[in-house]
């Protein structure tokens, strides 16, 4: 009986795997079509300076609007795209779109010179493509300074220590872009690389922020990250701020920036423009 069961389990797993890879392939096909048919869109989530309360930056977050109108969150398709070169096509689309939006905002006077847009760059993209020259000349043609962009990368990329990747990162940084470590605290969080690499921002992962009120442990970690980052000359961004109490605590700790539903959800470009206009009018 055990043997029989083992065989069945094995068959079940095989079928399961076959089905999974079929679903993945279907997804890749649909994503390829989505690029051709222009089904992606970017949302923008403002990031606030906790001292002044003003919008300092906004993160570009991709969405996929299927032909039937459903909006697919990135968690459903980015991990699949990341296992193929499709993530590079998506990444190039995001970069171009972000530059176009910046050009537009600056042209219409809605973006002060200090407003930056931040985009997520996948490790595979940075590792397998040398986009530095292309990206910099694209920015030049659009008359958008590299200083208006932040690239968000994950710790894994740095720990990998691939020299070519690090050279690219350095080149982007030398050109004026800011580099942010996303989801800080969830990986190895080896502090040493923060000094060795051209990092400007540390984004403290939402998992710490969400329990900051109830867990002394998470509060201590957040505080330690803020203090350490400050000593290394880096700015800190708290991700996923949802309550007033979290906001107050982060401000008291000395965290520089906040991003989260408390302040604003990711919004369409048009809504973001309205928000910027309101802020301008209030000033
Ligand atoms: P991330 O870069 O850490 O982005 C932050 C995520 O947290 C976003 O989810 C945002 O909507 C969500 N968030 C912000 N504030 C709050 C809050 O107060 N509460 C909660 N519960 N969530 C909050 P989103 O847009 O679903 O993106 C998820 C992840 O997908 C991103 O995590 C990023 O890793 C990836 N991603 C999104 N857009 C892109 C892209 O253009 N390229 C690449 N490579 N990855 C992307
Ligand atoms: Mg991010
Ligand atoms: Mg993040
Ligand atoms: Mg996160």
């Amino acid at each position: 009986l055990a043997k029989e069961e083992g065989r069945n389990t094995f068959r079940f797993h095989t079928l399961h795997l076959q089905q999974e890879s079929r679903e993945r392939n279907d997804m890749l096909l649909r994503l390829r079509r989505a690029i051709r048919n222009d089904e992606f869109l970017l949302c923008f989530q403002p990031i606030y300076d906790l001292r002044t309360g003003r919008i300092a930056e906004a993160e570009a977050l991709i969405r996929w609007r299927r032909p039937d109108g459903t909006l697919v969150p990135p968690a459903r398709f980015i991990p699949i795209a990341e296992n193929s070169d499709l993530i590079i096509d998506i990444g190039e689309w995001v970069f171009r779109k972000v530059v176009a939006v910046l050009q537009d905002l600056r042209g219409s006077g809605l973006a002060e010179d200090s407003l930056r847009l931040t985009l997520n760059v996948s490790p595979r993209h940075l590792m397998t493509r040398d986009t530095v020259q292309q990206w910099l000349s694209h920015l030049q043609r659009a008359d958008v300074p590299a200083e208006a962009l932040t690239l968000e990368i994950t710790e894994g990329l740095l720990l990998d220590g691939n020299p070519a990747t690090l050279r690219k990162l350095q080149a982007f940084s030398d050109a004026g872009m800011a580099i942010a470590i996303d989801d800080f605290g969830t990986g190895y969080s080896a502090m040493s690389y923060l000094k060795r690499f051209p990092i400007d921002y540390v984004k403290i992962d939402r998992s710490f922020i969400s329990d900051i009120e109830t867990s002394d442990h998470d509060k201590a970690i957040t505080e330690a990250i803020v203090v350490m980052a400050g000593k290394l000359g880096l700015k800190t961004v708290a991700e996923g701020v949802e309550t007033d109490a979290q906001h107050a605590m982060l401000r008291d700790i000395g965290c520089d920036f906040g991003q989260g539903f408390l302040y604003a959800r990711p919004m369409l470009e048009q809504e973001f423009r309205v928000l910027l206009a309101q802020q301008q009018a209030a000033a």
Side-chain angles (χ1 to χ4, degrees):
L1 188 69
K3 210 170 173 185
E4 186 70 10
E5 233 167 52
R7 217 170 6 244
N8 283 338
T9 313
F10 175 72
R11 267 226 339 253
F12 172 75
H13 278 306
T14 313
L15 282 174
H16 190 68
L17 286 178
Q18 278 171 356
Q19 168 144 8
E20 253 183 17
S21 87
R22 200 161 35 233
E23 277 168 12
R24 214 171 19 245
N25 286 336
D26 282 353
M27 180 61 113
L28 287 174
L29 278 176
R30 273 180 283 148
L31 284 170
R32 248 180 226 117
R33 207 176 319 135
I35 293 189
R36 276 201 308 274
N37 298 349
D38 211 22
E39 290 169 13
F40 292 115
L41 56 101
L42 283 186
C43 281
F44 296 88
Q45 186 179 31
I47 299 174
Y48 289 82
D49 183 322
L50 293 182
R51 259 178 308 266
T52 64
R54 291 175 63 83
I55 298 172
E57 204 171 17
E59 179 168 4
L61 296 160
I62 197 169
R63 306 286 180 262
W64 175 19
R65 179 143 39 209
R66 304 275 305 274
D68 65 5
T70 49
L71 218 54
V72 188
R76 294 273 312 282
F77 63 90
I78 289 290
I80 295 170
E82 267 173 342
N83 282 318
S84 92
D85 279 349
L86 207 61
I87 194 63
I88 297 172
D89 296 326
I90 292 177
E92 291 293 326
W93 181 85
V94 170
F95 171 75
R96 270 150 211 277
K97 181 77 188 160
V98 161
V99 174
V101 169
L102 266 170
Q103 188 179 27
D104 224 54
L105 290 174
R106 294 169 68 91
S108 57
L110 279 174
E112 293 162 25
D113 283 351
S114 60
L115 183 92
R116 327 168 57 93
L117 291 184
T118 175
L119 61 144
N120 296 281
V121 181
S122 169
R124 190 190 187 102
H125 195 166
L126 211 53
M127 282 190 307
T128 60
R129 264 307 155 80
D130 194 348
T131 51
V132 177
Q133 276 324 312
Q134 264 164 273
W135 281 18
L136 294 182
S137 35
H138 185 76
L139 281 166
Q140 210 158 30
R141 279 195 301 276
D143 199 24
V144 171
E147 281 80 3
L149 283 181
T150 301
L151 306 182
E152 294 193 13
I153 58 168
T154 49
E155 293 172 88
L157 190 80
L158 299 177
L159 288 168
D160 227 29
N162 178 320
T165 307
L166 299 175
R167 260 200 310 279
K168 294 174 210 169
L169 214 55
Q170 187 67 55
F172 280 128
S173 173
D174 290 344
M177 290 186 199
I179 312 289
I181 303 283
D182 207 353
D183 305 334
F184 190 80
T186 56
Y188 295 89
S189 304
M191 308 294 174
S192 59
Y193 67 64
L194 293 179
K195 228 177 115 66
R196 273 189 290 131
F197 304 123
I199 311 299
D200 304 283
Y201 296 91
V202 171
K203 299 191 77 172
I204 307 167
D205 192 65
R206 175 160 62 89
S207 56
F208 298 104
I209 309 303
S210 58
D211 291 332
I212 198 174
E213 295 162 78
T214 48
S215 155
D216 289 341
H217 180 251
D218 285 356
K219 185 180 178 214
I221 290 179
T222 303
E223 219 166 344
I225 295 174
V226 169
V227 169
M228 173 207 59
K231 295 208 161 156
L232 293 172
L234 315 177
K235 301 279 186 205
T236 41
V237 184
E239 294 189 314
V241 184
E242 294 185 348
T243 70
D244 287 317
Q246 287 165 0
H247 166 82
M249 219 171 220
L250 288 161
R251 202 195 40 214
D252 293 346
I253 285 174
C255 183
D256 300 291
F257 302 98
Q259 174 180 7
F261 294 173
L262 174 68
Y263 315 108
R265 293 194 174 240
M267 57 188 85
L268 294 171
E269 182 186 341
Q270 189 43 40
E271 300 170 83
F272 181 53
R273 296 176 73 94
V274 170
L275 194 64
L276 286 175
Q278 279 169 354
Q279 178 173 277
Q280 232 169 31

